[in-house]
């Protein structure tokens, strides 16, 4: 009985095992089929998404050859107002003549920040040195055209990325070139050469906030930030505020790991450029002096040394004509549509207000520094044109028709400046002719004037440099010590400039007045 029961039980167990195996096979087959379906579906979606991204990428970045030609031609045309163009070099403004002098002086053994004072970064003076190869500024003028053209192309691509509209891209880039030429105030300014790096960063970050699925490019972002710093330190404010926006964005999105990687990649990019520049600075012994003159003094000394109301009036006109005020208003309008980029937009708005205020209330107002505000405003330039059919009219309305005034400003400002200063410019050339007739090629000429036009005209360098008005008292004390050893063959004094007391003593003791007769300048010669 028990044997029969055990045999029946064993048969039931074997039967149950066979059914269980069949059920297991059916479930496994169904699972495998589902897995294959799930694997094939995302792959198709990924291919489709990749193709869409590729098409969008190509549509955004591809620029017609005609557009390249138009932007190149416009860049050359606008660059004709730059003082590096040899025809206009003799009548350069005070700040432009000093920058143009720097490259020539470096070719004759002088070191920026040590032998003459500097406002730009180390690489800015290296650009001027390279641009003065051959004894002319043709190469420097070419560099300015390239910087202008690259800026226009980057703006075109940024707006194209935002609007996917070629007309909008071309409209904004053309008027932006006019704005750049106007704010550069003669071309040879640190902000012009640093601008392409900031505009590249603006386009990079705009793309990142639209689609933050990749962390590629942050090494280049760090390199761009470093180049901006060593060319025009004021331009680095854009990178600092953008970095703060990235940190807030990553923390708010709980992307701490990605944020840490981005930080390391950015630091690596900064170091790649920073070490190279630091090596040159160590060789020339300018690390501290360059940091002090291009960063510490401009960022720590405020309060206009001249007429405050006149400075405010100039700043108001420039910010209105070149769209800084309109760009700020446009940014506020776009805040509610910012999405993931809202934090970045807020930092851009803070930058517009903060940087403009800092530039206006600096001890020496340099209008070319307002070009550093352009990357902040250009972020919003294309956003207001996405839903418009009449692109040109919409852009002009958004900018309160200021771009038209900007065109007039670029054309007529140099003309009016030359007209008002024609008598001084004429006498500068007379002084230059007198010095050329009475000096040899190795003689040095110290000029106490608001610019370096006489040195540029005579192709001479100076042993001393005039201390800028916004520099601390220790620089004046150092000047008083050095001027006692002045050995330059000629000293030229401009009537409107107040000669330091220490220089007057040296002139009375070691120099005599020449027979040059002029209204605005007096020439002294070594006894």
């Amino acid at each position: 009985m028990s044997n029969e029961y055990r045999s029946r039980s064993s048969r039931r167990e074997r039967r149950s095992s066979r059914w269980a195996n069949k059920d297991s096979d059916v479930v496994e087959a169904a699972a495998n089929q589902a897995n294959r379906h799930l694997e094939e579906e995302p792959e198709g979606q990924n291919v489709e998404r990749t193709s869409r991204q590729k098409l969008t990428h190509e549509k955004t970045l591809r620029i017609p050859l005609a557009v390249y030609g138009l932007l190149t031609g416009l860049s050359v045309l606008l660059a004709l107002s730059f003082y590096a163009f040899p025809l206009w070099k003799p009548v350069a403004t005070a700040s432009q003549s000093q920058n143009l002098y720097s490259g020539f002086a470096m070719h004759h053994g002088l070191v920026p920040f040590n032998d003459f004072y500097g406002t730009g970064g180390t690489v800015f003076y290296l650009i001027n040195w390279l641009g003065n190869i051959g004894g002319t500024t043709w190469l420097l003028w070419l560099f300015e055209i390239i910087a202008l053209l690259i800026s226009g192309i980057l703006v075109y691509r940024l707006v194209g990325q935002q609007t996917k509209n070629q007309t909008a891209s071309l409209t904004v880039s053309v008027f932006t070139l006019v704005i750049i030429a106007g704010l550069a105030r003669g071309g040879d300014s640190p902000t012009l050469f640093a601008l392409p790096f900031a505009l590249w960063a603006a386009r990079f970050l705009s793309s990142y906030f639209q689609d933050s699925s990749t962390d590629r490019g942050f090494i280049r972002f760090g390199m761009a930030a470093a180049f901006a710093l060593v060319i025009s330190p004021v331009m680095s404010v854009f990178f600092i505020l953008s970095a703060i926006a990235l940190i807030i964005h990553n923390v708010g999105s709980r992307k701490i790991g990605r944020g840490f990687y981005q930080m390391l990649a950015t630091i690596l990019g900064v170091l790649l450029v920073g070490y190279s520049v630091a090596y040159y600075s160590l060789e020339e012994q300018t690390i501290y002096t360059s940091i002090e003159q291009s960063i510490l003094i401009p960022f720590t000394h405020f309060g206009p040394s001249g007429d405050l109301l006149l400075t405010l009036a100039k700043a108001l006109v420039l910010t209105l004509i070149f769209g800084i005020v309109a760009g700020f208003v446009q940014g506020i309008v776009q805040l509610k549509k910012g999405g993931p980029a809202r934090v970045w937009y807020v930092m851009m708005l803070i930058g517009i207000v903060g940087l403009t205020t800092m530039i206006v209330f600096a001890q020496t107002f340099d209008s070319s520094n307002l070009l550093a505000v352009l990357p902040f405003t250009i972020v919003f330039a294309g956003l207001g044109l996405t839903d418009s059919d009449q692109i040109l009219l919409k852009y002009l309305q958004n900018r309160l028709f200021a771009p038209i005034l900007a065109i007039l400003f670029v054309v007529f400002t140099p003309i009016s400046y030359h007209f008002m200063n024609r008598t001084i410019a004429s006498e500068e050339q007379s002084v230059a002719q007198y010095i050329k007739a009475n000096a040899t090629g190795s003689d040095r000429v110290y000029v106490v004037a608001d610019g370096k036009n006489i040195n540029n005209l005579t192709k001479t360098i100076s042993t001393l440099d005039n201390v800028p008005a916004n520099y601390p008292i220790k620089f004046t004390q150092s000047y008083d010590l050095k001027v006692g050893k002045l050995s330059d063959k000629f000293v030229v004094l401009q009537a409107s400039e107040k000669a330091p007391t220490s220089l007057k003593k040296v002139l009375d003791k070691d120099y005599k007045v020449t027979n040059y007769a002029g209204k605005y300048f007096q020439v002294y010669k070594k006894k």
Side-chain angles (χ1 to χ4, degrees), residues 59 64 98 148 156-157 167 195 224 231 260 341 471-472 482:
K59 182 179 178 181
Q98 291 170 358
L148 192 60
Y156 183 96
R157 288 180 171 174
T167 303
L195 183 62
I231 296 175
F260 185 69
Y471 276 33
K482 293 178 181 178

Side-chain angles (χ1 to χ4, degrees), residues 106-392:
M106 291 174 69
H107 275 282
H108 288 77
L110 300 189
V111 178
F113 309 111
N114 290 348
D115 296 321
F116 59 88
Y117 298 108
T119 56
T122 299
V123 173
F124 170 69
Y125 292 104
L126 289 176
I127 293 172
N128 274 270
W129 171 82
L130 188 61
N132 275 269
I133 288 178
T136 68
T137 54
W138 281 109
L139 190 57
L140 180 62
W141 186 59
L142 177 62
F143 291 160
E144 293 171 356
I145 294 175
I146 293 173
L148 192 60
L149 175 61
I150 293 175
S151 298
I153 292 172
L154 289 170
V155 171
Y156 183 96
R157 288 180 171 174
L158 171 62
V159 177
Q161 180 178 282
Q162 294 173 339
T163 64
K164 308 296 186 295
N165 187 304
Q166 189 180 85
T167 303
S169 302
L170 185 59
T171 300
V172 176
S173 59
V174 165
F175 281 110
T176 300
L177 284 178
V178 175
I179 291 172
I180 295 171
L183 287 177
R185 300 303 302 275
D188 193 17
S189 58
T191 47
L192 174 64
F193 292 110
L195 183 62
F197 299 99
L199 291 177
W200 178 89
R203 179 175 169 269
F204 167 74
L205 291 173
S206 178
S207 175
Y208 174 79
F209 282 111
Q210 286 180 11
D211 179 18
S212 59
S213 59
T214 178
D215 294 322
R216 295 176 59 187
F218 278 92
I219 293 179
R220 286 176 290 168
F221 177 75
M223 294 178 68
F227 273 116
L229 177 64
V230 295
I231 296 175
S232 175
V234 70
M235 194 69 76
S236 63
V237 175
F238 175 82
F239 291 88
I240 294 172
L241 293 179
S242 296
I244 294 173
L246 281 170
I247 293 173
I248 297 174
H249 172 74
N250 287 325
V251 172
S253 304
R254 297 181 180 179
K255 300 176 181 178
I256 307 299
R258 293 181 62 181
F260 185 69
Y261 165 77
Q262 293 170 6
M263 181 185 70
L264 292 180
T266 301
I267 292 174
L268 176 59
V270 171
L271 293 178
L272 288 174
V273 176
Y275 277 134
S276 302
V277 177
Y279 177 80
Y280 167 81
S281 299
L282 281 172
E283 285 288 316
E284 300 294 336
Q285 299 180 352
T286 62
I287 284 187
Y288 175 74
T289 53
S290 62
I291 293 174
E292 181 181 33
Q293 295 176 33
S294 65
I295 299 176
L296 297 181
I297 293 177
F299 283 87
T300 57
H301 291 71
F302 297 99
S305 56
D307 189 342
L308 177 59
L309 292 179
L310 180 61
T311 300
L312 290 176
K314 290 180 181 178
L316 179 61
V317 171
L318 292 174
T319 53
L320 288 173
I321 289 178
F322 294 109
I324 294 175
V325 174
F328 178 78
V329 174
Q330 187 66 29
I332 293 178
V333 173
Q334 295 299 325
L335 268 183
K336 58 184 179 181
K337 302 177 183 178
R342 186 176 290 114
V343 173
W344 187 45
Y345 290 172
V346 170
M347 298 308 296
M348 295 297 97
L349 293 174
I350 293 174
I352 293 173
V353 176
L355 187 56
T356 302
T357 303
M358 186 183 74
I359 292 169
V360 172
F361 287 95
Q363 288 190 341
T364 302
F365 175 62
D366 184 356
S367 58
S368 67
N369 283 335
L370 288 174
L371 197 56
V373 185
L374 182 62
F376 294 91
T377 61
I378 206 66
V379 170
F380 309 110
L383 298 175
L385 305 176
T386 53
D387 301 323
S388 177
D389 295 328
Q390 296 180 331
I391 299 296
L392 178 59

Side-chain angles (χ1 to χ4, degrees), residues 29-43:
N32 291 335
Q33 185 176 1
N35 286 333
R36 285 194 300 272
H37 176 73
L38 291 174
E39 290 174 357
E40 290 172 0
E41 185 64 23
E43 184 178 356

